[in-house]
Amino acid sequence: GGDRGGDRGDRFNMDRPELGGEQKDAGDGTPQDSWRSSRPAGGNSSASAMLTTSANAYKMGAPKDRITELKRQVQSQLNKIAPDNIVVIAEKIVETNVASTEELEIVIALVMKKALGEPHYCETYADLVFKLKGDMPEFPAPDGGKPKSFKSTLLNVCQNEFESISQESLALTDEETLGKDKEEL
């Protein structure tokens, strides 16, 4: 077992004096590392061009409408969720100031979509829903009945999701039923 690299250090560090290589002269008597740029240190040089924006450059615009901005803010928070920051994320979602049952449904639908898309974080999203349940506002029912709470809206969103599942997607194929008892099906 000896040194498998041979003179590898010397070959790769030839121009780096701090690693055993040689320095090159910049032409004015001062040493210059060959891997560094030849621009003067500090400040802009007359040779460097000013940056200009292109005609189609991205520009942060004003939000299109309240719903779009709400979706953007909530999705942004959901993208940052982890088991150790549920309280912070819940607070920031509450700070979006949900102002109607429609907005409440949007928030819940986004949480549901994210939870279904990331089953490994399912418990984290369940904890988030539990925290939001106590912090989100209630809204009066349009027909004068019971107010629309987070809990009732969550149940409606879950029921709508369940009802949207097509029966065909639940039907078993012939391969899946092969060799199974009626009781197992």
Side-chain angles (χ1 to χ4, degrees), residues 11-178:
R11 278 187 291 144
F12 287 108
N13 299 314
M14 300 267 306
D15 296 331
R16 304 228 8 231
E18 68 274 15
L19 299 176
E22 302 174 18
Q23 283 187 328
K24 296 186 178 179
D25 191 317
D28 59 357
T30 60
Q32 177 182 348
D33 294 334
S34 63
W35 55 273
R36 296 184 190 216
S37 78
S38 59
R39 287 191 323 192
N44 296 332
S45 71
S46 58
S48 67
M50 295 295 291
L51 295 176
T52 57
T53 57
S54 66
N56 63 349
Y58 174 78
K59 295 179 188 114
M60 182 82 173
K64 308 256 185 286
D65 61 356
R66 166 75 180 143
I67 299 298
T68 304
E69 182 61 16
L70 176 70
K71 286 179 180 178
R72 188 190 67 76
Q73 287 176 341
V74 171
Q75 191 65 51
S76 172
Q77 294 308 315
L78 293 175
N79 287 341
K80 299 172 188 171
I81 201 161
D84 59 342
N85 68 356
I86 294 168
V87 173
V88 174
I89 299 298
E91 288 170 357
K92 292 193 178 190
I93 290 174
V94 170
E95 287 173 8
T96 61
N97 296 321
V98 172
S100 68
T101 55
E102 178 191 6
E103 290 181 3
L104 188 58
E105 286 176 7
I106 289 169
V107 170
I108 292 170
L110 287 171
V111 173
M112 291 288 294
K113 180 180 175 187
K114 196 79 165 153
L116 291 171
E118 299 178 2
H120 55 283
Y121 274 123
C122 192
E123 187 176 344
T124 302
Y125 290 111
D127 292 340
L128 175 67
V129 166
F130 182 78
K131 176 77 176 113
L132 289 174
K133 181 181 72 115
D135 297 342
M136 295 298 269
E138 288 187 349
F139 300 99
D143 60 0
K146 287 178 74 175
K148 296 284 187 177
S149 66
F150 183 86
K151 184 177 172 182
S152 65
T153 307
L154 174 64
L155 289 171
N156 288 338
V157 169
C158 288
Q159 184 173 353
N160 292 340
E161 181 69 28
F162 177 77
E163 289 173 355
S164 71
I165 298 173
S166 69
Q167 292 301 316
E168 291 84 35
S169 68
L170 296 177
L172 298 174
T173 64
D174 290 337
E175 292 175 6
E176 294 171 325
T177 59
L178 186 64

